[in-house]
Amino acid sequence: MVNMNSKRSESKPTIKRLNNETMQYHTPVLLNECIDGLNIQPAGIFVDCTFGGGGHSIAILQHLNENGKLIVFDQDEDARKNLPNDERIIFVPQNFRHLQRFLRLHKVAKVDGILADLGVSSHQFDEADRGFSIRFDAALDMRMDQRQAITAADILKNFSELQLHKMFEQYGEVTNAKTLAKTIVAKRSLAPIRTINEFKTAVHAVVKGNPQKYFAQVFQALRIEVNDELGALKELLEQTVKVLQPGGRVAIITFHSLEDRIVKNFFRDGTFENTAIDDVYGHRFENPLRVITKKPVTAGEKELKENTRSRSAKLRVAEMK
Ligand SMILES: C[S@@+](CC[C@H](N)C(=O)[O-])C[C@H]1O[C@@H](n2cnc3c(N)ncnc32)[C@H](O)[C@@H]1O
């Protein structure tokens, strides 16, 4: 395993077992690896951008002393019920794309570490009426933030054939994305597609290969679009370099190649701009980040056996210079 601690790290308590409620809502992946990667100083200010069941947050709190602070974001109100009774924690029920704005609101200018464990929680996936899982029949919703207006059904209803085609191709790597888009457009003109079963019935003739796998890819694409997951990730990354203290760490866990590529490239370059171009004064842009994990950290054998979700998890860590 990569040694991710820098010299300033002190000896750390081991992570206590998380309680059953936390584990039922969501089992945290790469937990020890994240804690190592964040290189937590006990009196620091940390941000968990994706609180969920609070597994990572509780582990961070265990490494903070009474002067430490943890600001946690989750755009899903359901996550609130997992908040521990701990004065050091502040809950921000918002999209992490507004990181800097809400830190400012809480009078926090700089932080010592930022964690994001992307995607949906097991809770969201297991709640039938959230519409994330092909295992159930429910309205095609897929909003992590229920205050948001657009659902998966709206996308299937309103996107053009080309938009649907590109979405399934880029976000789901669906092999017959074009045919799928064409079928949806044809079927929706005959009857509305509002539920998971209506969708499965409408497209069953064009399902390719293993239906489970096929629909998983299709649903991934819809979920990414509904929640603008890649847009939010990019906005988050751009703000990390504005709020991290020198020596502060950013640790991101991704679950598919599109996200991982975005994180990898941003950590390497420190920007999404074209860095080959000098600014108006002829200064070359210098990456404010130092990559800590040259290769992504993945789950070990034990975790892979215990938690299937860890199979696709990749952790990357960078440090503010
Ligand atoms: C994979 S789970 C995190 C699990 C958590 N680390 C734990 O140990 O329980 C992702 C969580 O982040 C939230 N989330 C995803 N994208 C978000 C975003 N852009 N802004 C705020 N919350 C987000 C989801 O609602 C979900 O609860």
Side-chain angles (χ1 to χ4, degrees), residues 22 25-29 31 48-57 73-76 79 94-97 115 117-122 124 144-145 227-229 232-233 255 309:
T22 302
Y25 192 97
H26 185 88
T27 304
V29 300
L31 184 59
D48 180 353
C49 296
T50 49
F51 178 69
H56 288 100
S57 280
F73 284 70
D74 203 302
Q75 60 179 334
D76 186 347
Q94 302 291 342
N95 196 305
F96 58 58
R97 73 192 322 154
L115 170 72
D117 170 19
L118 300 175
V120 281
S121 65
S122 305
Q124 288 162 330
M144 291 191 218
D145 182 348
N227 298 288
D228 187 21
E229 292 181 29
L233 173 61
F255 291 88
R309 199 169 179 278

Side-chain angles (χ1 to χ4, degrees), residues 30 36 51 67 72 97 129 131-132 142 156 179 186 192 255 262 273 291 293 320:
L30 298 170
D36 277 354
F51 178 69
N67 298 318
V72 302
R97 73 192 322 154
D129 63 1
F132 284 107
M142 300 196 195
L156 291 173
T179 312
F255 291 88
I262 289 172
E273 308 290 317
V291 175
T293 49
M320 195 73 180

Side-chain angles (χ1 to χ4, degrees), residues 139-158:
L140 279 159
D141 187 327
M142 300 196 195
R143 290 168 302 165
M144 291 191 218
D145 182 348
Q146 303 278 301
R147 297 161 293 191
Q148 190 190 301
I150 294 170
T151 66
D154 295 324
I155 285 167
L156 291 173
K157 181 173 172 221
N158 298 324

Side-chain angles (χ1 to χ4, degrees), residues 199-212:
F199 178 68
K200 281 185 181 167
T201 309
V203 303
H204 84 276
V206 297
V207 170
K208 276 192 100 182
N210 176 344
Q212 285 282 103

Side-chain angles (χ1 to χ4, degrees), residues 91-105:
F91 181 58
V92 182
Q94 302 291 342
N95 196 305
F96 58 58
R97 73 192 322 154
H98 307 302
L99 173 75
Q100 201 175 9
R101 175 140 67 90
F102 284 97
L103 288 182
R104 242 185 250 136
L105 195 77

